[in-house]
Amino acid sequence: MEVLNPKYDASKSVAYTGTAGTTAAFTPGVNAVMVWATTDCYVKVGESVTATSDDLAIPAFTPVLIRITTQNPYVVSAIQISASGTVYANPMNGATA
């Protein structure tokens, strides 16, 4: 079983509308980020990315783990599906239990 270890004091959030909102860059060195939002939205995670309607759709208030595949700073970007909201992101490290 994999246990997730949150990286405390590293959470970020950003508002989004019909225009994507993008967090400030996260420090590299984790293997996943947990993302959730206040409304249904499209999300993209990576280096200098901007979310579009072609990206991962997540339902409101549903935490989703997304693997981090870069060793460089990365951002989380979100854009609304039908209503504006806020996306929250917290870096996580996995550990075998």
Side-chain angles (χ1 to χ4, degrees):
M1 177 172 93
E2 186 168 44
V3 177
L4 298 176
N5 299 312
K7 208 172 164 193
Y8 295 101
D9 298 325
S11 296
K12 298 184 187 302
S13 64
V14 68
Y16 55 84
T17 61
T19 300
T22 302
T23 65
F26 285 92
T27 303
V30 298
N31 55 22
V33 63
M34 182 176 288
V35 177
W36 66 101
T38 57
T39 63
D40 299 347
C41 65
Y42 298 103
V43 171
K44 188 167 189 172
V45 176
E47 298 176 48
S48 302
V49 297
T50 301
T52 70
S53 59
D54 292 328
D55 294 316
L56 177 66
I58 64 169
F61 302 107
T62 304
V64 175
L65 280 173
I66 299 173
R67 183 172 302 278
I68 302 299
T69 59
T70 181
Q71 294 302 312
N72 297 315
Y74 63 94
V75 297
V76 174
S77 183
I79 191 168
Q80 73 181 33
I81 290 178
S82 62
S84 61
T86 300
V87 65
Y88 297 89
N90 198 96
M92 301 285 205
N93 276 316
T96 303

